[in-house]
Amino acid sequence: ELKVEQNPLFLSMQEGKNYTIYCNYSTTSDRLYWYRQDPGKSLESLFVLLSNGAVKQEGRLMASLDTKARLSTLHITAAVHDLSATYFCAVESGSRLTFGEGTQLTVNP
Amino acid sequence: GAVVSQHPSRVICKSGTSVKIECRSLDFQATTMFWYRQFPKQSLMLMATSNEGSKATYEQGVEKDKFLINHASLTLSTLTVTSAHPEDSSFYICSAHWTEVDEQYFGPGTRLTVT
């Protein structure tokens, strides 16, 4: 059974600071996704990572994938309040997605 | 492109009644759709995989007689929660798999409250 673990589950940080969210998974996978969810809303796709060493960046967010370590990271650079949300990683295996527990990020002024 | 809609966005029903939720892919065809449930402050849990023209595949622990899934066309899947109870109150999210680009697209979700 595929297990996906994120840490931390809660993250409170100050504006302007950097931080990393980690996503570990237990078995080999096809692809890894990062999503953002705002309260009361559905998922917004951020990144899809396909292969070992993949790195993608959009604005203040950068995601990477190490398939050998079964680890993905989501790095936040110079956080701003607008990044406050819950972030999920999800691992795909045969079109089925297994989600991590989510990281609730709060960026304080 | 790649828009998925859900209807209704919010529904309140009384305990013991049934409620139907629709998931539509608006600008692509989806042979496969997925239904997820999300309780407050928790992650998304896959309930079932809906395949057009065939029976849905349910995840372990999900009652197929309580959560009826119909995928009658390439653009529509429905989830019917039968004999709903307060513990079924949740946020239900569907996704549709666009075969040509091999990607899943999520709907906006349906907030179900059972009183």
Side-chain angles (χ1 to χ4, degrees):
Chain A
E1 181 189 348
L2 174 59
K3 293 188 186 301
V4 182
E5 294 183 348
Q6 281 181 241
N7 73 84
L9 300 184
F10 299 93
L11 177 56
S12 179
M13 56 191 298
Q14 282 190 310
E15 281 191 328
K17 299 294 186 182
N18 305 331
Y19 210 84
T20 300
I21 300 170
Y22 297 89
C23 175
N24 291 275
Y25 55 98
S26 60
T27 65
T28 56
S29 72
D30 299 327
R31 288 180 284 197
L32 189 139
Y33 296 83
W34 284 97
Y35 295 95
R36 168 181 172 145
Q37 186 178 39
D38 291 297
K41 304 291 186 181
S42 187
L43 301 181
E44 174 190 349
S45 179
L46 296 174
F47 301 106
V48 54
L49 302 168
L50 303 177
S51 58
N52 188 44
V55 177
K56 290 194 174 179
Q57 183 164 5
E58 180 73 33
R60 300 174 188 274
L61 301 178
M62 183 174 70
S64 67
L65 178 62
D66 181 343
T67 57
K68 294 180 181 178
R70 295 178 186 158
L71 170 68
S72 179
T73 62
L74 180 66
H75 187 72
I76 303 154
T77 302
V80 293
H81 180 69
D82 285 352
L83 290 180
S84 296
T86 299
Y87 293 84
F88 291 96
C89 65
V91 176
E92 182 184 55
S93 179
S95 293
R96 294 174 72 254
L97 291 177
T98 302
F99 285 82
E101 306 98 319
T103 297
Q104 186 176 320
L105 171 66
T106 303
V107 181
N108 303 303
Chain B
V3 178
V4 177
S5 70
Q6 281 185 242
H7 178 80
S9 57
R10 253 174 217 282
V11 58
I12 300 173
C13 70
K14 292 189 176 180
S15 188
T17 62
S18 296
V19 61
K20 180 186 286 188
I21 302 169
E22 294 184 348
C23 177
R24 292 182 186 271
S25 55
L26 299 185
D27 46 8
F28 65 95
Q29 293 184 330
T31 307
T32 304
M33 293 184 176
F34 301 90
W35 287 97
Y36 298 86
R37 180 168 53 184
Q38 185 180 33
F39 292 111
K41 304 294 185 185
Q42 294 189 23
S43 186
L44 279 76
M45 297 298 294
L46 179 64
M47 298 175 67
T49 302
S50 169
N51 299 295
E52 188 267 336
S54 65
K55 290 184 179 180
T57 304
Y58 291 82
E59 295 299 303
Q60 193 171 10
V62 178
E63 299 174 58
K64 62 180 180 181
D65 295 329
K66 180 171 180 62
F67 299 98
L68 302 180
I69 291 173
N70 188 326
H71 193 155
S73 79
L74 288 172
T75 58
L76 173 64
S77 176
T78 60
L79 169 68
T80 301
V81 183
T82 63
S83 187
H85 291 286
E87 56 265 32
D88 297 322
S89 298
S90 188
F91 193 43
Y92 291 86
I93 304 174
C94 73
S95 71
H97 183 252
W98 187 357
T99 308
E100 279 75 9
V101 301
D102 193 21
E103 286 288 350
Q104 279 190 48
Y105 298 91
F106 284 85
T110 295
R111 176 79 55 194
L112 169 64
T113 303
V114 184
T115 60

